[in-house]
Amino acid sequence: MKRIGIAGFGTIGRVVARHIENSDLPLALAAVSAGDRTRAEAAMAQLARPVPVVDTAELVALSDVIVDSAPTAAFRDIAEATLCAGKTLVTVSGAALMQWPGAAGFARDHGGRIILATGALLGIDAVRAAAIGSIHSVTMVTRKPVKSLIKADHVVRNGIDLTEIDEPLKIFEGSAREGAIAFPANVNVAAALGLAGTGPDQTRLEIWADPALTRNTHRIIVDSDSARFELAIENIPTDENPGTGRITAQSIVAALHDLVSPIRIGT
């Protein structure tokens, strides 16, 4: 039985907890941690089998696997605590991971492991396979509803007014690494693409605010010596947070299933 701890008990964490509770696989929710403990305890009371709300150190001690669904700013602290204990971290914070170049070495030195869940990035198997050979170019165009981007750091910092736009507006163009710095909470898909493929500095990214959209959309074009392919996905946003797609939490659950399932589909 794998004991799962969840760091961050917001939109994603609560969905993951419910899936674990209803799973017939050998997974058990051990504990959660949260910045707002009172709010987390109120949400925990809605589960059929509530678990303790604890601090990060105790969460790691009680768990075999830590799911990171906390704000991006908390990623490093959670990751280091988990890896120092030689345990596994499952995260969707691709942007934060990409900005920690020593992550692989840190995990290796402590006997830990990081799993980046990428449910919102379809075709990841093909991208990874293409990277075994030579990838000539990778381009990703992200289009999101205005409400998904209006509070983004880059938008606020640069005084970009999205409230009155009536047609698509390109608000960023650059590399996936530059995008992760400009939009630390909005480009985890692009960061994962960069890490899986030709590298974050060679992965080109455009971000558009589109008032006609109701879903977060990504279009990816990969050209390599083994294949050329295009991928497109429309993610349905969660009701609680329009910047987070419903498939994100399900991606974490799928990664947890892979840890205990006798058959794994995909690389």
Side-chain angles (χ1 to χ4, degrees):
M1 181 70 71
K2 289 282 188 185
R3 299 171 301 163
I4 310 300
I6 299 177
F9 204 53
T11 302
I12 295 174
R14 292 195 296 270
V15 172
V16 173
R18 288 194 295 270
H19 274 278
I20 293 172
E21 192 171 61
N22 295 325
S23 174
D24 56 2
L25 291 172
L27 299 169
L29 185 61
V32 306
S33 65
D36 187 334
R37 188 163 186 159
T38 300
R39 186 176 179 183
E41 288 174 344
M44 179 58 65
Q46 299 175 20
L47 294 184
R49 296 184 295 276
V51 297
V53 180
V54 299
D55 62 22
T56 300
E58 188 173 359
L59 183 73
V60 172
L62 291 171
S63 309
D64 302 310
V65 178
I66 299 297
V67 168
D68 164 40
S69 59
T72 304
F75 168 80
R76 186 71 173 265
D77 289 340
I78 294 166
E80 289 186 350
T82 303
L83 298 174
C84 281
K87 297 183 178 181
T88 297
L89 178 76
V90 178
T91 183
V92 292
S93 295
L97 180 60
M98 188 172 62
Q99 295 181 64
W100 184 16
F106 190 93
R108 186 183 304 111
D109 291 345
H110 293 87
R113 188 184 186 203
I114 301 173
I115 296 174
L116 179 60
T118 56
L121 173 57
L122 78 171
I124 189 68
D125 284 359
V127 175
R128 291 179 61 199
I132 299 300
S134 296
I135 294 180
H136 306 314
S137 64
V138 179
T139 302
M140 176 173 169
V141 179
T142 290
R143 295 177 181 270
K144 293 191 174 189
V146 169
K147 65 180 179 180
S148 297
L149 292 166
I150 200 164
K151 294 182 180 180
D153 291 350
H154 178 81
V155 172
V156 174
R157 186 168 56 250
N158 290 280
I160 302 173
D161 185 5
L162 300 179
T163 57
E164 301 295 334
I165 65 171
D166 55 9
E167 60 183 21
L169 175 67
K170 182 165 65 175
I171 59 174
F172 176 83
E173 182 174 6
S175 71
R177 187 184 303 279
E178 292 167 338
I181 295 171
F183 295 85
N186 298 86
V187 296
N188 284 320
V189 176
L193 178 64
L195 291 169
T198 190
D201 295 310
Q202 289 73 43
T203 301
R204 305 307 300 168
L205 172 65
E206 293 181 14
I207 301 177
W208 293 72
D210 191 335
L213 292 182
T214 58
R215 299 182 178 185
N216 301 325
T217 71
H218 308 292
R219 181 170 176 261
I220 298 164
I221 304 170
V222 178
D223 186 23
S224 75
D225 64 353
S226 59
R228 184 186 187 280
F229 49 95
E230 296 187 18
L231 315 166
I233 188 170
E234 297 181 3
N235 296 326
I236 300 173
T238 60
D239 294 332
E240 300 88 347
N241 182 355
T244 299
R246 294 182 185 179
I247 202 169
T248 302
Q250 293 172 205
S251 172
I252 293 175
V253 174
L256 295 177
H257 285 188
D258 277 345
L259 293 176
V260 296
S261 177
I263 297 178
R264 175 174 175 170
I265 307 301
T267 56

